[in-house]
Amino acid sequence: MTLTAPLNPHLAPVTVPDPDALAHVQRLCDLTDPYTSGPAEEELFAAAMAESHAWHRERSPFFRDLHAATGSGDPAAPYGAPLVHANFFKRHEVLSIPREDVHLHLTSSGTTGQKSQMFFDEWTIRSAQRMVARIFERNGWITPDQPVNYLLYSYEPARDLKLGTSFTDNYLCDFAPARQVEYALRNTGGGHEFDPFGCIAALRRFAEDDAPVRILGFPAFLWFTLERMRAMGLPPLRLPEDSLIILGGGWKGHTDQQIGKHELYARVTEQLGIPSERIRDTFGSVEHCIPYIECSHHNLHAPVWSRVFIRSTRTLEPLPYGEKGYLHLVSPYITSVPAQSVVMGDLASLHPGEECGCELETPWFTIHGRAGVSRNKSCAVAAAELMKGMS
């Protein structure tokens, strides 16, 4: 019998650090359907969370003390998961593995401001990458035999650049071979500079090619490019069939020019010829690398490897469907840092799967913006600053 290689190396098997202690974590992360749900999956998730807590209690004094202080019977902590705010990782380096087992170190911020310092062992980062690959596979976006042209609205690689967004966007280029790659945020040697005219030139060149185009990265820069094209009086382009846009990073730091995503999608279709179903936004963070990618109806469904809750901004109590509060993300996949239960600084609301109308049955959430005002900068904040004075 001849064995065939997987469509993509990121779909290859990956093994937890301790197969005995993390057997349910392994089984959960091995599930191939990203949106399967039911009693069996719920039981598996709960068992995997229990293993995750035991793993971090044994290896992280911080988590051991936190878990003891909060108790696993707290009804406000589903799966016995104590709450850790994402900002905690901006001020503390807390590992559950020896330093020599760190496979990858990423940060959440731009050139200044406090940074979340996140450390990944090989299992954690590879399992997160495999989750992305599973979702891409389900959508038919892994095309090893179809080269594409890439326009990346993210940071051009530079020495010692550890930004999570840059890592993610370059990783997404693994799902289709590259014919050409162009970056919107060009490395100047002393930083990065947004190059709108380079983006326009790339789009016009790609429109004359027969290869599909994949546009990845910050939506604000894509919008600014479309605005500049209109201001220059350029006619609409029609990018090749099967072109795809995957956005991420939000509009943080440039909300005064933010528009609704459906308006953005309509302008993309008008000026670039890409239909709405081939435009998808995403949500993710360096503190919680589970991929949340819009469905065909443009809602962010929770994959089988995570659970999503909404917390009261006043009491941190869990809120019912439809109410706005802090976004709380839970997953047992991470073994390198006790970040299996993270409260984000984003305001969101959660909705039952059937309210979406697509084929997915898992709950979905909507992001309503950032909570409060902070001097901390995310990748998108720093990137947006490069746009000031350009419009």
Side-chain angles (χ1 to χ4, degrees), residues 122-138:
E122 186 173 8
W123 153 262
T124 298
I125 195 62
R126 286 190 60 199
S127 62
Q129 290 176 323
R130 187 170 60 164
M131 294 173 193
V132 177
R134 293 291 187 203
I135 296 175
F136 268 60
E137 181 185 45
R138 190 184 193 282

Side-chain angles (χ1 to χ4, degrees), residues 93-161:
E93 294 184 5
V94 182
L95 279 74
S96 298
I97 57 173
R99 288 274 177 174
E100 57 267 25
D101 290 344
V102 172
H103 182 74
L104 180 69
H105 171 209
L106 295 176
T107 69
S108 64
S109 74
T111 55
T112 62
Q114 291 173 313
K115 304 177 182 181
S116 284
Q117 303 289 334
M118 294 301 292
F119 303 87
F120 302 93
D121 55 5
E122 186 173 8
W123 153 262
T124 298
I125 195 62
R126 286 190 60 199
S127 62
Q129 290 176 323
R130 187 170 60 164
M131 294 173 193
V132 177
R134 293 291 187 203
I135 296 175
F136 268 60
E137 181 185 45
R138 190 184 193 282
N139 283 285
W141 298 337
I142 297 180
T143 59
D145 298 322
Q146 174 60 70
V148 305
N149 291 315
Y150 288 97
L151 175 56
L152 304 185
Y153 282 98
S154 59
Y155 296 91
E156 185 177 13
R159 184 178 180 180
D160 298 327
L161 183 67

Side-chain angles (χ1 to χ4, degrees), residues 87-381:
N87 280 347
F88 175 83
F89 300 106
K90 296 183 185 296
R91 298 172 173 84
H92 305 277
E93 294 184 5
V94 182
L95 279 74
S96 298
I97 57 173
R99 288 274 177 174
E100 57 267 25
D101 290 344
V102 172
H103 182 74
L104 180 69
H105 171 209
L106 295 176
T107 69
S108 64
S109 74
T111 55
T112 62
Q114 291 173 313
K115 304 177 182 181
S116 284
Q117 303 289 334
M118 294 301 292
F119 303 87
F120 302 93
D121 55 5
E122 186 173 8
W123 153 262
T124 298
I125 195 62
R126 286 190 60 199
S127 62
Q129 290 176 323
R130 187 170 60 164
M131 294 173 193
V132 177
R134 293 291 187 203
I135 296 175
F136 268 60
E137 181 185 45
R138 190 184 193 282
N139 283 285
W141 298 337
I142 297 180
T143 59
D145 298 322
Q146 174 60 70
V148 305
N149 291 315
Y150 288 97
L151 175 56
L152 304 185
Y153 282 98
S154 59
Y155 296 91
E156 185 177 13
R159 184 178 180 180
D160 298 327
L161 183 67
K162 297 181 181 295
L163 298 179
T165 50
S166 179
F167 176 84
T168 299
D169 289 340
N170 282 284
Y171 161 67
L172 294 181
C173 293
D174 288 349
F175 297 117
R179 179 174 292 186
Q180 296 182 61
V181 179
E182 297 290 343
Y183 287 88
L185 300 181
R186 304 302 303 274
N187 177 21
T188 64
H192 287 81
E193 181 177 330
F194 178 45
D195 181 13
F197 298 107
C199 294
I200 294 171
L203 289 171
R204 298 180 74 179
R205 186 170 67 252
F206 293 164
E208 299 300 320
D209 198 348
D210 59 355
V213 178
R214 292 198 175 185
I215 299 173
L216 313 173
F218 298 120
F221 289 96
L222 174 58
W223 171 251
F224 190 76
T225 301
L226 297 176
E227 286 282 86
R228 183 57 60 93
M229 289 174 63
R230 176 170 286 185
M232 293 171 63
L234 297 178
L237 302 174
R238 181 156 296 276
L239 297 181
E241 188 177 357
D242 292 332
S243 292
L244 177 68
I245 296 181
I246 304 291
L247 302 171
W251 294 68
K252 297 182 289 291
H254 218 81
T255 55
D256 59 323
Q257 294 189 29
Q258 182 171 349
I259 62 168
K261 66 180 180 181
H262 294 293
E263 181 181 352
L264 172 61
Y265 297 171
R267 282 284 295 275
V268 169
T269 301
E270 174 190 345
Q271 291 185 256
L272 301 181
I274 299 177
S276 176
E277 62 269 19
R278 301 286 294 181
I279 310 168
R280 306 291 180 92
D281 199 4
T282 66
F283 179 87
S285 73
V286 72
E287 300 91 356
H288 179 90
C289 290
I290 300 293
Y292 300 92
I293 300 177
E294 284 186 344
C295 67
S296 58
H297 290 199
H298 301 297
N299 291 315
L300 295 162
H301 289 259
V304 66
W305 314 290
S306 77
R307 297 294 183 270
V308 179
F309 303 94
I310 304 298
R311 296 280 173 178
S312 167
T313 57
R314 185 172 59 88
T315 66
L316 291 181
E317 293 294 313
L319 296 176
Y321 284 134
E323 294 195 21
K324 296 180 183 179
Y326 291 126
L327 182 64
H328 174 206
L329 304 173
V330 176
S331 176
Y333 83 106
I334 186 167
T335 54
S336 54
V337 174
Q340 71 271 38
S341 173
V342 180
V343 177
M344 307 302 296
D346 301 273
L347 292 176
S349 59
L350 187 66
H351 308 270
E354 58 267 22
E355 287 188 2
C356 175
C358 76
E359 76 281 6
L360 306 182
E361 298 180 354
T362 62
W364 51 275
F365 61 94
T366 297
I367 299 295
H368 299 287
R370 297 287 291 181
V373 178
S374 171
R375 290 175 296 176
N376 299 332
K377 292 186 179 181
S378 70
C379 299
V381 170

